[in-house]
Amino acid sequence: MNPHTVEVTLCNQLGYERIAMECSASFAKIFGCPADRIEDLKTVVAEAAMNAMEHGNQGRANAKVTIFMDFKDETITVAVIDEGYGIREFPPNPDITRLIDNIDPPIGFGLFLIKQLADQVEFNQRTDGGHVVRMAIKISRKG
């Protein structure tokens, strides 16, 4: 088994994304990830896991969400896999001011956060069924 890789399988129940958050934080600490990047990692993992549960698996109790984390070349790569069909249409980026003022609902805000906090994001359909969101978080943010 590779000591730089972790796999976590969650039942499809909202609230269990917290398990993924804490696992990702512990994993990142092992490799000396600074606190601000750990918070970014926890946020993207939680958002991707909640999206997988709600939208990908459509709340089905018998579905699962699998999360793979890997550390290589000063980067933590996370894959969140659901049993759904993927994102058919990406929502537009939210207007943050309108969200804060409670004018618009928070539709698409999780995807927006993921794209802002991760250094790289990919959304792909799996050939063996399901959907995967791959995200990369560099240990130190450049720029």
Side-chain angles (χ1 to χ4, degrees), residues 4 17 19-21 28 34 36 46 55 90 103 109 140:
H4 293 151
E17 73 279 354
I19 295 168
M21 283 175 62
D36 63 325
H55 305 294
F90 285 91
I103 296 169
F109 188 65
S140 60

Side-chain angles (χ1 to χ4, degrees), residues 25-102:
S26 295
F27 185 72
K29 286 176 188 174
I30 289 170
F31 300 107
C33 191
D36 63 325
R37 295 305 282 160
I38 290 173
E39 290 305 313
D40 291 347
L41 177 66
K42 287 169 50 179
T43 300
V44 300
V45 167
E47 289 294 339
M50 286 188 296
N51 282 344
M53 292 173 189
E54 284 184 83
H55 305 294
N57 292 338
Q58 299 177 341
R60 290 178 291 122
N62 63 338
K64 66 182 179 188
V65 174
T66 304
I67 300 161
F68 291 95
M69 292 174 272
D70 182 68
F71 178 77
K72 184 178 178 184
D73 299 329
E74 299 300 304
T75 301
I76 295 173
T77 303
V78 179
V80 178
I81 302 166
D82 63 41
E83 298 173 0
Y85 299 105
I87 301 169
R88 287 176 182 80
E89 184 178 325
F90 285 91
N93 286 339
D95 181 324
I96 303 302
T97 304
R98 291 178 61 88
L99 281 176
I100 292 169
D101 292 338
N102 289 320

Side-chain angles (χ1 to χ4, degrees), residues 3-19:
H4 293 151
T5 302
V6 169
E7 176 183 346
V8 179
T9 301
L10 304 172
C11 67
N12 198 59
Q13 182 173 332
L14 288 176
Y16 277 52
E17 73 279 354
R18 293 183 192 118
I19 295 168

Side-chain angles (χ1 to χ4, degrees), residues 80-87 123-126 129-133:
V80 178
I81 302 166
D82 63 41
E83 298 173 0
Y85 299 105
I87 301 169
F123 302 89
N124 295 299
Q125 193 67 33
R126 293 170 47 102
H131 179 256
V132 61
V133 177

